[in-house]
Coordinates of all heavy atoms in Angstrom, one line a residue:
L1 N -24.6 12.4 4.0 CA -23.5 12.0 3.1 C -22.2 12.0 3.8 O -21.3 11.1 3.5 CB -23.5 12.8 1.8 CG -24.6 12.7 0.8 CD1 -24.5 13.7 -0.3 CD2 -24.7 11.3 0.3
W2 N -22.0 12.9 4.7 CA -20.7 13.1 5.3 C -20.3 11.9 6.2 O -19.1 11.7 6.5 CB -20.7 14.4 6.2 CG -19.3 14.9 6.5 CD1 -18.6 14.8 7.7 CD2 -18.3 15.5 5.6 NE1 -17.4 15.3 7.6 CE2 -17.2 15.8 6.3 CE3 -18.4 15.8 4.2 CZ2 -16.1 16.4 5.7 CZ3 -17.3 16.4 3.7 CH2 -16.2 16.7 4.4
K3 N -21.2 11.0 6.5 CA -20.9 9.8 7.3 C -20.2 8.8 6.5 O -19.6 7.9 7.0 CB -22.2 9.2 7.9 CG -22.9 10.2 8.8 CD -24.2 9.5 9.3 CE -25.0 10.5 10.2 NZ -26.3 9.9 10.7
D4 N -20.2 8.9 5.1 CA -19.5 8.0 4.2 C -18.1 8.4 4.1 O -17.8 9.5 3.7 CB -20.3 8.0 2.9 CG -19.8 6.9 2.0 OD1 -18.6 6.7 1.8 OD2 -20.6 6.1 1.5
R5 N -17.2 7.5 4.3 CA -15.7 7.8 4.2 C -15.3 8.2 2.8 O -14.5 9.1 2.7 CB -14.9 6.5 4.6 CG -13.4 6.6 4.5 CD -12.7 5.4 5.0 NE -11.3 5.4 4.8 CZ -10.7 5.0 3.7 NH1 -11.4 4.5 2.7 NH2 -9.3 5.1 3.6
N6 N -15.9 7.6 1.8 CA -15.5 7.9 0.4 C -15.9 9.4 0.1 O -15.2 10.1 -0.6 CB -16.2 7.0 -0.6 CG -15.6 5.6 -0.6 OD1 -14.4 5.5 -0.3 ND2 -16.3 4.6 -1.1
I7 N -17.1 9.8 0.6 CA -17.5 11.2 0.4 C -16.6 12.2 1.0 O -16.2 13.2 0.4 CB -19.0 11.4 0.9 CG1 -20.0 10.4 0.2 CG2 -19.4 12.8 0.8 CD1 -20.2 10.7 -1.2
R8 N -16.2 11.9 2.3 CA -15.3 12.8 3.0 C -13.9 12.8 2.2 O -13.3 13.9 2.1 CB -15.0 12.3 4.4 CG -16.3 12.3 5.3 CD -15.9 12.2 6.7 NE -15.2 11.0 7.1 CZ -15.7 9.9 7.4 NH1 -17.1 9.8 7.4 NH2 -15.0 8.8 7.7
L9 N -13.4 11.7 1.8 CA -12.1 11.7 1.1 C -12.2 12.5 -0.2 O -11.3 13.2 -0.6 CB -11.7 10.2 0.7 CG -11.3 9.4 1.9 CD1 -11.1 7.9 1.4 CD2 -10.0 9.9 2.5
A10 N -13.3 12.3 -1.0 CA -13.5 13.1 -2.2 C -13.5 14.6 -1.9 O -12.9 15.4 -2.7 CB -14.8 12.7 -2.9
S11 N -14.1 15.0 -0.8 CA -14.2 16.4 -0.5 C -12.8 17.0 -0.1 O -12.4 18.0 -0.5 CB -15.2 16.6 0.7 OG -16.5 16.2 0.4
Y12 N -12.1 16.2 0.8 CA -10.7 16.6 1.2 C -9.8 16.7 -0.1 O -9.0 17.7 -0.2 CB -10.1 15.6 2.2 CG -10.9 15.5 3.5 CD1 -10.9 14.3 4.1 CD2 -11.6 16.6 4.0 CE1 -11.6 14.1 5.3 CE2 -12.3 16.4 5.2 CZ -12.3 15.2 5.9 OH -13.0 15.1 7.0
A13 N -9.9 15.7 -0.9 CA -9.0 15.7 -2.1 C -9.3 16.9 -3.0 O -8.4 17.5 -3.6 CB -9.2 14.4 -2.9
T14 N -10.6 17.2 -3.2 CA -11.0 18.4 -4.0 C -10.4 19.7 -3.4 O -9.9 20.5 -4.2 CB -12.5 18.5 -4.1 OG1 -13.0 17.3 -4.7 CG2 -12.9 19.7 -5.0
L15 N -10.5 19.8 -2.1 CA -10.0 21.0 -1.5 C -8.5 21.2 -1.7 O -8.0 22.2 -2.1 CB -10.3 21.0 0.0 CG -9.8 22.1 0.9 CD1 -10.6 23.4 0.6 CD2 -9.8 21.8 2.4
L16 N -7.8 20.1 -1.5 CA -6.3 20.1 -1.6 C -5.9 20.4 -3.1 O -5.0 21.2 -3.3 CB -5.7 18.8 -1.2 CG -5.7 18.5 0.3 CD1 -5.4 17.1 0.6 CD2 -4.8 19.5 1.1
S17 N -6.6 19.8 -4.0 CA -6.2 20.0 -5.4 C -6.4 21.4 -6.0 O -5.7 21.9 -6.8 CB -7.0 19.0 -6.3 OG -8.4 19.4 -6.4
Q18 N -7.4 22.1 -5.4 CA -7.7 23.4 -6.0 C -6.8 24.5 -5.5 O -6.8 25.6 -6.0 CB -9.2 23.8 -5.6 CG -10.2 23.0 -6.3 CD -9.9 22.9 -7.8 OE1 -9.9 23.9 -8.5 NE2 -9.8 21.7 -8.4
V19 N -6.0 24.2 -4.5 CA -4.9 25.2 -4.1 C -4.0 25.5 -5.2 O -3.5 26.6 -5.4 CB -4.2 24.7 -2.8 CG1 -3.0 25.6 -2.5 CG2 -5.1 24.6 -1.6
E20 N -3.8 24.5 -6.1 CA -2.9 24.6 -7.2 C -3.5 25.5 -8.3 O -2.8 25.7 -9.3 CB -2.6 23.2 -7.8 CG -1.4 23.1 -8.7 CD -1.3 21.7 -9.4 OE1 -2.3 21.1 -9.6 OE2 -0.1 21.4 -9.7
E21 N -4.7 25.9 -8.2 CA -5.3 26.8 -9.2 C -4.6 28.1 -9.4 O -4.8 28.8 -10.4 CB -6.8 27.0 -8.9 CG -7.7 25.9 -9.3 CD -7.7 25.6 -10.8 OE1 -8.1 26.5 -11.5 OE2 -7.3 24.5 -11.2
V22 N -3.7 28.5 -8.4 CA -3.0 29.7 -8.6 C -1.8 29.5 -9.6 O -1.2 30.5 -10.1 CB -2.4 30.2 -7.2 CG1 -3.5 30.5 -6.3 CG2 -1.4 29.2 -6.7
L23 N -1.6 28.2 -9.9 CA -0.4 27.9 -10.8 C -0.4 28.6 -12.1 O 0.6 29.2 -12.5 CB -0.3 26.4 -10.9 CG 1.1 25.8 -11.1 CD1 1.1 24.3 -10.6 CD2 1.5 25.8 -12.5
P24 N -1.5 28.6 -12.9 CA -1.5 29.3 -14.2 C -1.2 30.8 -14.1 O -0.5 31.3 -14.9 CB -2.9 29.1 -14.7 CG -3.4 27.8 -14.0 CD -2.8 27.9 -12.7
I25 N -1.7 31.4 -13.0 CA -1.4 32.8 -12.8 C 0.1 33.0 -12.6 O 0.8 33.9 -13.2 CB -2.1 33.4 -11.6 CG1 -3.6 33.3 -11.9 CG2 -1.7 34.8 -11.3 CD1 -4.5 33.7 -10.7
L26 N 0.7 32.2 -11.8 CA 2.2 32.3 -11.5 C 3.0 32.0 -12.7 O 4.0 32.7 -12.9 CB 2.5 31.3 -10.3 CG 1.8 31.7 -8.9 CD1 2.2 30.6 -7.9 CD2 2.3 33.0 -8.5
I27 N 2.7 30.9 -13.4 CA 3.4 30.6 -14.6 C 3.3 31.7 -15.6 O 4.3 32.1 -16.3 CB 2.9 29.3 -15.2 CG1 3.3 28.1 -14.4 CG2 3.5 29.1 -16.6 CD1 4.8 27.8 -14.3
G28 N 2.1 32.3 -15.8 CA 1.9 33.4 -16.7 C 2.8 34.6 -16.3 O 3.4 35.2 -17.2
L29 N 2.8 34.9 -15.0 CA 3.6 36.0 -14.6 C 5.1 35.8 -14.8 O 5.9 36.6 -15.2 CB 3.3 36.3 -13.1 CG 2.1 37.1 -12.8 CD1 1.9 37.2 -11.3 CD2 2.1 38.5 -13.4
L30 N 5.5 34.5 -14.5 CA 6.9 34.1 -14.6 C 7.4 34.3 -16.1 O 8.4 34.8 -16.4 CB 7.1 32.7 -14.1 CG 8.5 32.3 -13.7 CD1 9.1 33.3 -12.7 CD2 8.5 30.9 -13.1
L31 N 6.5 33.8 -17.0 CA 6.9 33.9 -18.4 C 6.9 35.4 -18.8 O 7.8 35.8 -19.6 CB 5.8 33.2 -19.2 CG 5.9 31.6 -19.2 CD1 4.6 31.0 -19.7 CD2 7.0 31.1 -20.0
F32 N 6.0 36.1 -18.4 CA 5.9 37.5 -18.7 C 7.1 38.3 -18.2 O 7.7 39.2 -18.8 CB 4.6 38.2 -18.3 CG 4.4 39.6 -18.7 CD1 4.1 39.9 -20.0 CD2 4.6 40.7 -17.8 CE1 4.0 41.2 -20.5 CE2 4.4 42.0 -18.3 CZ 4.1 42.2 -19.6
L33 N 7.5 38.0 -16.9 CA 8.7 38.6 -16.3 C 10.0 38.3 -17.1 O 10.9 39.1 -17.2 CB 8.8 38.2 -14.8 CG 7.7 38.8 -13.9 CD1 7.8 38.1 -12.5 CD2 7.9 40.3 -13.8
K34 N 10.1 37.1 -17.6 CA 11.3 36.6 -18.2 C 11.4 37.2 -19.6 O 12.5 37.4 -20.1 CB 11.3 35.1 -18.3 CG 11.6 34.5 -17.0 CD 13.0 34.9 -16.4 CE 13.2 34.4 -15.0 NZ 14.5 34.9 -14.5
T35 N 10.3 37.4 -20.3 CA 10.3 37.8 -21.7 C 9.8 39.2 -22.0 O 10.1 39.8 -23.0 CB 9.6 36.8 -22.6 OG1 8.2 36.8 -22.2 CG2 10.1 35.4 -22.4
G36 N 8.9 39.7 -21.1 CA 8.3 41.0 -21.3 C 7.3 41.0 -22.4 O 6.8 42.1 -22.8
T37 N 6.8 39.9 -22.9 CA 5.8 39.9 -24.0 C 4.8 38.8 -23.8 O 5.1 37.7 -23.3 CB 6.5 39.7 -25.4 OG1 5.5 39.5 -26.4 CG2 7.4 38.4 -25.4
E38 N 3.5 39.1 -24.1 CA 2.5 38.1 -24.0 C 2.6 36.9 -24.9 O 2.1 35.8 -24.7 CB 1.1 38.8 -24.3 CG 0.6 39.7 -23.2 CD 1.1 41.1 -23.4 OE1 2.0 41.3 -24.2 OE2 0.7 42.0 -22.7
L39 N 3.4 37.1 -26.0 CA 3.6 36.1 -27.0 C 4.3 34.8 -26.4 O 4.0 33.7 -26.8 CB 4.4 36.6 -28.2 CG 4.4 35.7 -29.4 CD1 3.0 35.5 -30.0 CD2 5.3 36.3 -30.5
S40 N 5.1 35.0 -25.4 CA 5.8 33.9 -24.7 C 4.8 33.0 -24.0 O 4.9 31.8 -23.9 CB 6.8 34.4 -23.7 OG 6.2 35.1 -22.6
L41 N 3.6 33.6 -23.5 CA 2.6 32.8 -22.8 C 1.9 31.9 -23.8 O 1.7 30.7 -23.6 CB 1.6 33.7 -22.2 CG 1.9 34.4 -20.9 CD1 3.0 35.4 -21.0 CD2 0.6 35.1 -20.3
G42 N 1.6 32.4 -25.0 CA 1.0 31.6 -26.0 C 1.9 30.5 -26.6 O 1.5 29.4 -26.8
A43 N 3.2 30.9 -26.7 CA 4.2 29.9 -27.2 C 4.3 28.8 -26.3 O 4.4 27.6 -26.7 CB 5.5 30.6 -27.5
Y44 N 4.4 29.1 -25.0 CA 4.5 28.1 -23.9 C 3.3 27.1 -24.0 O 3.5 25.9 -24.0 CB 4.5 28.8 -22.6 CG 4.4 27.8 -21.4 CD1 5.5 27.2 -20.8 CD2 3.1 27.6 -20.8 CE1 5.4 26.4 -19.7 CE2 3.0 26.7 -19.7 CZ 4.1 26.1 -19.2 OH 4.0 25.3 -18.1
Q45 N 2.1 27.6 -24.1 CA 0.9 26.8 -24.2 C 1.0 25.9 -25.5 O 0.7 24.7 -25.5 CB -0.3 27.6 -24.3 CG -0.6 28.4 -23.0 CD -1.0 27.5 -21.8 OE1 -0.1 26.9 -21.2 NE2 -2.2 27.3 -21.6

C-alpha cells in the first residue's frame, strides 16, 4: 500500500493532525487557571 501516493499522504496528514490532540488538555488547564473552577470548562463547551 505504501507505494501509492494517496496512501502515503493520508498517513502523513493523520500524523500531523493528531499532534493537536493536546489542545483540549491545554484549553482545559487554561480555563481552570483563569477561573479556578471546573464550571468554566463546561460553560466554555
Side-chain angles (χ1 to χ4, degrees):
L1 290 176
W2 198 254
K3 297 176 182 178
D4 190 308
R5 177 177 178 271
N6 285 336
I7 300 291
R8 295 196 302 273
L9 289 173
S11 301
Y12 298 148
T14 300
L15 177 71
L16 290 168
S17 70
Q18 292 309 304
V19 174
E20 197 188 26
E21 281 296 300
V22 300
L23 210 154
I25 297 174
L26 295 174
I27 289 292
L29 281 177
L30 201 53
L31 287 163
F32 186 72
L33 289 170
K34 288 299 173 183
T35 64
T37 173
E38 289 87 350
L39 195 58
S40 64
L41 280 67
Y44 169 86
Q45 295 290 84

